[in-house]
Structure formats: structure tokens, C-alpha cells
Amino acid sequence: MSTPHNQAANGEIAKVVLMPGDPLRAKYIAETFLEDPTMFNTVRNMYGYTGTYKGTRISVMGSGMGMPSIGIYSYELFSHYDVECIIRIGSAGAYTEELHLFDLVLASEAWSESTFALAQSGDDETRQKPSARVNAAIKEAAASLQKPLTEACIHSSDVFYHEANVDGHREFYAKHGCVCVEMESFALFHNAKVLGKHAACLLTISDSLVTHEETTAKQRENSFTNMMEVALEAALKLA
């Protein structure tokens, strides 16, 4: 059953999907980690692949940037393709000097000033939560691989460039307890809640709003292997 945004036929997508924002990161994961990957989507260059990892069928697909984009793709995966679990694997900007480039962050919840949930279903909660079961699988996988991670509240922002007269990273950290920022998980968690599915978000720190360190675009595409390996191992426990 294809949709306007996904040409996959019914049965071509696995029950567990890893979802990076960058479709080229999805391509890298498929070609690097999956056996016999088959591309199921090229619509709008939002690449999606299904293959096997250690004998288990897993899919990976890009989400694009921002809540409207992941909102479309995750909703369709859950509702049209019988996907049960989506693990977002993305990049994030640190709000605290305690986080450094390439550190892993597991979202315990996503706070947002966004009206995505309100517009989508009348949900006025400003915090959306991941699946406890999926977070537990990710923590277990990280421990077995000896990959340290920080579990904390994250900020899902609608805005990449803020003007100086509004709250910035210091206020988001102090007022809301957000240790880093990305732009998708609030919508993903909300869609999973509305549809009775499971979702989580594992992030790699790609830059710091405190120290102004940053990774390159190429590093964001293919150097976040710790995050990829943890998510793949967690997917084995959830498939």
C-alpha cells in the first residue's frame, strides 16, 4: 500500500525502522551494516531500505528535517505499513558543556514549544515521551557495547535560527531541563502515542551551542557509527 510520499509495497518495510534525518545517512547505514539491502523508496529522494542485520529484518529510512517532515513519514509508516517501532537516530546541538562532540544522548522526553501535537490531535502537552520498552532496549544495547550514553530531556525545536530577543540555549536548559536540541522527536513521540506504537530517539552531539565546536556535514553522514551500532543492536531486541 503506497502513499504519496512512499512508493513501498505492502510487506517491503520491516516492523522496526531506524530513522535518521538525513537520507544519505540512511543510505550509509544500509550499505554499511545491512545484508542484501533493497531500496523501497526514492520519492523526494527520501531513501528507504530493508535488509537484514545479524539475521533480523530491519528497515532504515530518512525523515527529513523538522516536525512536519518526520510527522508525515512516521505517521505513514505506523498507519499504512504496520511498522511497530521507529528509533530516530539523529544529530543534536549541546546546551551544556558537559556534553561533547560525538557523545550519545537518549531522550527521556522531548519538550517543545511546538503546536504539532495540538494541531494534530488536540493534545496540549508540551512534553512527549518515548516508549519505555524501546529506551530499555537501547540502554541494554549501549551497555553491552560499552558505549556510554546520557539519558535526559531534549528540546525539539521548530526553529533553527533564533533571533536575540527570544529565549536561547541557556534559558531552554535552565527553564526546561533540556540538555540538547533537535527538531523531530516531539512529533515522532506524539504520533506513536496517538497510533498505539513505539518510538525512541538516540542522538549524537554534532555541535555545541556552549563551546561552538561542530562536526562537518560529511561526519554527520557517516561518522556517527556508535549511535548506529547501538540502535541496530537495540532493534534486534525489538524486532
Side-chain angles (χ1 to χ4, degrees):
M1 180 189 297
S2 64
T3 72
H5 313 99
N6 194 327
Q7 69 200 56
N10 213 16
E12 290 186 333
I13 303 177
K15 296 294 185 182
V16 178
V17 178
L18 306 189
M19 184 161 266
D22 185 352
L24 290 178
R25 194 182 303 149
K27 180 176 185 288
Y28 176 83
I29 293 167
E31 294 177 348
T32 304
F33 295 101
L34 299 185
E35 296 178 8
D36 302 318
T38 300
M39 179 180 280
F40 62 75
N41 189 62
T42 60
V43 177
R44 296 175 180 254
N45 286 331
M46 197 58 71
Y47 304 139
Y49 303 82
T50 297
T52 58
Y53 178 73
K54 297 185 177 179
T56 298
R57 193 164 179 261
I58 294 171
S59 294
V60 56
M61 182 179 180
S63 72
M65 289 192 292
M67 283 182 252
S69 188
I70 199 171
I72 291 170
Y73 290 111
S74 63
Y75 195 95
E76 291 178 349
L77 288 173
F78 285 141
S79 64
H80 289 71
Y81 293 99
D82 297 323
V83 170
E84 291 297 325
C85 174
I86 295 175
I87 302 175
R88 166 164 155 68
I89 45 174
S91 57
Y95 280 171
T96 168
E97 62 186 7
E98 294 176 3
L99 291 175
H100 306 284
L101 294 189
F102 299 104
D103 282 358
L104 299 184
V105 176
L106 176 63
S108 60
E109 59 183 354
W111 173 83
S112 187
E113 64 274 77
S114 172
T115 57
F116 179 94
L118 183 64
Q120 201 278 336
S121 72
D123 183 347
D124 61 1
E125 293 291 332
T126 60
R127 295 176 185 265
Q128 299 288 328
K129 294 185 180 295
S131 163
R133 173 172 169 257
V134 183
N135 269 24
I138 292 171
K139 288 188 284 187
E140 185 179 338
S144 67
L145 293 171
Q146 297 184 321
K147 308 288 189 187
L149 57 76
T150 298
E151 186 176 15
C153 177
I154 66 169
H155 177 200
S156 290
S157 180
D158 273 338
V159 179
F160 192 86
Y161 299 106
H162 288 86
E163 295 303 311
N165 62 306
V166 298
D167 281 355
H169 69 276
R170 294 179 184 85
E171 291 79 15
F172 292 132
Y173 180 56
K175 292 180 181 180
H176 306 289
C178 302
V179 301
C180 63
V181 61
E182 50 87 77
M183 303 185 72
E184 290 83 22
S185 295
F186 183 85
L188 172 63
F189 295 169
H190 172 74
N191 280 350
K193 179 172 69 174
V194 166
L195 296 170
K197 303 288 186 169
H198 299 278
C201 173
L202 182 62
L203 300 165
T204 298
I205 297 300
S206 59
D207 59 282
S208 173
L209 282 80
V210 181
T211 66
H212 306 295
E213 297 174 292
E214 60 182 17
T215 55
T216 66
K218 197 65 178 177
Q219 285 176 313
R220 297 179 195 206
E221 178 186 326
N222 59 27
S223 295
F224 292 173
T225 52
N226 283 345
M227 173 178 66
M228 297 170 190
E229 291 171 4
V230 170
L232 285 163
E233 291 295 322
L236 295 179
K237 306 174 188 297
L238 299 162

